[in-house]
Amino acid sequence: MSDTPRSDDTPERDMHRARATPQARLSPIWIVPIVAILIGAWLVYDNYRSRGPLITLVMSNAEGIEAGSTLIKTRNVEVGRVERVNLSEDLATAEITARMSPDTEAMLVEDSRFWVVKPRIGREGISGLGTVLSGAYIQLEPGASERATREFQVSDQPPVAPAGADGLRINLVSQLGNSLRVGDPVTYQGYTVGRIEDTQFDAQTRRMLHRVFIEAPYDTLVTDTTRFWSASGIDLRLDTEGIRVNVESLEALLGGGVAFGVPDDMPLGRAIQPDVTFNLYADEDSARQGTFNRYLEYVLLVDDTVRGLSRGAPVEFRGVRIGTVAAVPWNFSAPQPDARSRFAIPVLIRIEPQRIGVTGEELDLDDWRERFDRLFDFGLRASLKSGNLLTGAMFVDLNFHRDLADDVTVETFAERRVFPTTPGGFARIEAQVTDLLDKLNGLDIEPLLAGLDRNLSASEAMLGEVRALTASLQGLLDDPGTREMPGNLNATLEELRATLQGLSPESAAYRELTGAVDRLDRLMRDLQPVARTLSENPRALLFDSLETEDPQPRAPRRD
């Protein structure tokens, strides 16, 4: 059996191989399009994968923002770019569409903040000069929230403090038309410890709302007894205490600000939680007055003028302030008490026991009201006095008048107890002068004038006698003998001087006199023994010795 193929099978086998070759192998020309497609697909995928999220930024004004060129930065690192700038549907704001980098997903949370960086000149100085040539850009400050969002508000001003900064945020409410703005300082005893973050006006309540950030560690200075007040540049005040000028820091002097502190007569208080609301007072005195929130109200019915008495004037008891004038005048159209014979001006005052150290826990207003009712019976009265002659400001002075202790009538005015009053100051002087004139008018002048005439006549007679005496004395002085008296007296004095000069220690008479005195002194010393002997025995003058016997008489001897 032979293995050699048959000749008739060879052509068929070759033809079949020739037809099967194009179907089994791919032409090399298709490799280039396939590689191009794969590269394009990879580029598309890589571009899609490398694209960051789109966000929407809302601004009131898109000044300086350009599509395709304005960058979004954080810490001076580019993290996005503005793609489109459009108006909102209501045409009220500008909507900016920006493409962020892929690695910014963690930054796009609800408390992240955006603002426009551009050249600014403010109280803090000049900022944003680097954008003069490069153009404005949008700054991103990442937040600390975990809730993602894609729409943000863009502020025209940079934030006062970072989102995660340590400190305390509180709210201030006021009815003042002040000029506080974002970035204004918040000071404690002249030192800046915080800033104003936001300022809004509520048209419904007609109040100003301020958001304040206090930096750490100064946030511990804010307690539940802290008071806030507006710190204007220069506070010039004319009142009963004279002229006062208060100047805050230089920054507050240029643009204003807020100051705070705890009044001296109040405890430091306890720490507070964030977002607590405080009242913003007009000045430091008003803030201090706000601490006296419990008081007694009385009405003064003043018969004198109230010119110079203003709201906020002190009510003092012997120089110690115990209250405040609340309104001048108050409820002017209310009917006067029936016991009043003349129209009086009503003045509302407040007696504030907290001013003398009584705390809110110990204060019993009913007890204090009864105490004042008893003091009225002892003569406690109110009067207006001038506190400062330069400014003309007046205050209410309380004091006891014993002569008025029994003259008190319980009166009410517009449902308020009337505080008994007495004229004071110039009104009292005027009354005293009027009483004096009345007494002078009641005097009988004719007898007084007659007595005065008699006194004048007697005075004239006495004056004549004095004139006569003066003339006699003048005649005596004009006598020549009287004129010679001084010369004679001088001569006598000269002779006396000469006589005295003769008795001087250098004169001979003085030496002789001295010698005589010495001799006399020796003689006296010599006579002293004799005098002593005679004093003891007077017989010694006759007998030689006291111890001899008495002589015997003898007869005469006869020769």
Side-chain angles (χ1 to χ4, degrees):
M1 183 174 195
S2 176
D3 294 332
T4 302
R6 292 181 303 176
S7 60
D8 54 350
D9 293 337
T10 301
E12 294 180 1
R13 194 178 298 113
D14 295 338
M15 187 178 298
H16 179 71
R17 188 180 297 112
R19 279 198 303 267
T21 299
Q23 296 180 357
R25 294 189 307 174
L26 183 63
S27 176
I29 197 171
W30 292 101
I31 296 176
V32 176
I34 293 173
V35 172
I37 292 172
L38 293 176
I39 293 175
W42 171 255
L43 292 176
V44 171
Y45 173 75
D46 183 67
N47 183 51
Y48 177 78
R49 188 175 61 85
S50 62
R51 293 179 64 186
L54 283 175
I55 62 172
T56 301
L57 304 177
V58 181
M59 299 178 60
S60 59
N61 188 353
E63 179 184 2
I65 306 301
E66 298 180 1
S69 59
T70 301
L71 303 178
I72 299 176
K73 297 181 179 181
T74 180
R75 299 186 182 276
N76 209 27
V77 176
E78 180 181 350
V79 294
R81 186 182 295 268
V82 174
E83 291 187 351
R84 294 190 305 274
V85 179
N86 300 319
L87 289 175
S88 60
E89 294 181 358
D90 57 357
L91 306 180
T93 58
E95 293 184 354
I96 299 173
T97 302
R99 175 71 66 177
M100 303 298 294
S101 301
D103 55 351
T104 59
E105 288 284 349
M107 303 180 186
L108 305 177
V109 292
E110 59 181 2
D111 60 344
S112 296
R113 291 183 286 185
F114 292 81
W115 68 92
V116 179
V117 177
K118 55 185 177 182
R120 288 188 178 88
I121 300 177
R123 292 189 299 272
E124 297 83 2
I126 302 175
S127 62
L129 291 179
T131 60
V132 173
L133 300 177
S134 62
Y137 65 89
I138 299 175
Q139 182 74 24
L140 166 63
E141 183 182 87
S145 176
E146 297 180 355
R147 185 176 179 181
T149 184
R150 291 295 183 268
E151 185 173 344
F152 302 90
Q153 293 286 336
V154 180
S155 175
D156 292 335
Q157 298 289 337
V160 173
D166 294 335
L168 178 68
R169 285 180 170 85
I170 58 176
N171 303 310
L172 298 180
V173 178
S174 69
Q175 295 181 348
L176 307 175
N178 48 33
S179 58
L180 292 179
R181 297 178 296 176
V182 175
D184 283 346
V186 178
T187 60
Y188 179 82
Q189 297 183 356
Y191 184 75
T192 302
V193 298
R195 297 282 176 178
I196 302 294
E197 282 192 332
D198 189 22
T199 299
Q200 297 179 359
F201 177 72
D202 190 350
Q204 295 181 353
T205 60
R206 299 181 181 181
R207 298 187 304 177
M208 295 294 298
L209 306 178
H210 308 283
R211 184 73 169 174
V212 177
F213 176 74
I214 307 295
E215 303 173 1
Y218 311 112
D219 55 341
T220 56
L221 299 174
V222 182
T223 62
D224 55 354
T225 58
T226 300
R227 297 294 181 266
F228 291 81
W229 61 88
S230 178
S232 59
I234 299 179
D235 184 12
L236 177 62
R237 201 172 303 173
L238 302 176
D239 52 15
T240 57
E241 298 180 0
I243 302 176
R244 291 185 295 171
V245 180
N246 183 24
V247 181
E248 293 289 340
S249 62
L250 180 60
E251 189 175 359
L253 179 64
L254 297 176
V258 174
F260 69 92
V262 178
D264 296 336
D265 50 3
M266 293 191 65
L268 294 179
R270 299 182 299 271
I272 62 172
Q273 299 296 325
D275 295 327
V276 174
T277 301
F278 291 88
N279 290 325
L280 179 63
Y281 295 92
D283 49 43
E284 185 176 0
D285 288 344
S286 300
R288 189 174 184 273
Q289 300 300 327
T291 62
F292 309 120
N293 53 3
R294 302 191 66 189
Y295 46 80
L296 299 176
E297 288 187 339
Y298 290 95
V299 175
L300 304 181
L301 296 179
V302 182
D303 295 329
D304 307 326
T305 178
V306 295
R307 183 179 181 85
L309 184 66
S310 59
R311 178 181 179 183
V315 177
E316 298 182 356
F317 175 73
R318 296 179 180 177
V320 178
R321 182 167 183 175
I322 62 172
T324 305
V325 175
V328 181
W330 178 75
N331 209 347
F332 195 77
S333 59
Q336 298 276 328
D338 297 335
R340 295 279 171 170
S341 60
R342 50 187 296 189
F343 185 81
I345 299 177
V347 176
L348 182 65
I349 66 172
R350 293 174 179 175
I351 303 298
E352 300 159 338
Q354 292 172 314
R355 287 185 177 274
I356 55 179
V358 182
T359 60
E361 294 80 4
E362 302 174 355
L363 181 59
D364 187 355
L365 292 180
D366 294 334
D367 180 62
W368 277 88
R369 187 175 286 106
E370 295 176 358
R371 184 179 303 178
F372 270 89
D373 292 341
R374 293 193 300 269
L375 294 177
F376 294 154
D377 297 333
F378 287 103
L380 182 64
R381 298 294 184 269
S383 60
L384 300 184
K385 290 187 177 180
S386 177
N388 191 291
L389 296 177
L390 179 62
T391 62
M394 303 183 70
F395 68 98
V396 178
D397 180 65
L398 307 183
N399 210 334
F400 287 98
H401 299 270
R402 301 299 181 182
D403 54 338
L404 302 176
D406 299 330
D407 186 15
V408 59
T409 303
V410 178
E411 295 178 324
T412 59
F413 180 87
E415 301 180 356
R416 299 288 194 282
R417 173 70 188 273
V418 175
F419 202 106
T421 60
T422 183
F426 293 106
R428 179 173 295 181
I429 296 175
E430 182 181 358
Q432 293 176 353
V433 172
T434 302
D435 294 340
L436 178 61
L437 293 177
D438 293 339
K439 292 180 180 179
L440 292 177
N441 291 330
L443 293 176
D444 192 1
I445 303 298
E446 293 182 359
L448 181 62
L449 293 178
L452 183 61
D453 189 15
R454 290 192 299 270
N455 293 334
L456 289 176
S457 300
S459 299
E460 289 179 358
M462 183 180 294
L463 182 60
E465 295 178 357
V466 171
R467 288 177 179 174
L469 180 61
T470 304
S472 299
L473 181 61
Q474 185 66 34
L476 181 62
L477 294 176
D478 293 338
D479 188 14
T482 305
R483 293 181 178 179
E484 293 177 357
M485 288 179 61
N488 297 333
L489 182 61
N490 290 333
T492 303
L493 293 175
E494 290 293 337
E495 294 177 357
L496 180 61
R497 183 181 296 109
T499 302
L500 293 176
Q501 288 179 354
L503 297 177
S504 63
E506 292 81 7
S507 63
Y510 181 82
R511 289 194 296 272
E512 292 179 358
L513 180 62
T514 303
V517 171
D518 292 339
R519 290 192 295 270
L520 180 62
D521 183 55
R522 288 195 300 271
L523 178 61
M524 293 300 296
R525 286 197 300 270
D526 293 340
L527 291 177
Q528 282 182 0
V530 177
R532 187 180 306 109
T533 303
L534 291 177
S535 177
E536 295 176 353
N537 188 5
R539 294 180 302 169
L541 184 62
L542 299 178
F543 302 101
D544 294 336
S545 176
L546 295 178
E547 298 178 356
T548 60
E549 296 180 357
D550 294 336
Q552 296 292 326
R554 297 176 180 178
R557 185 174 58 177
R558 294 177 182 179
D559 296 332

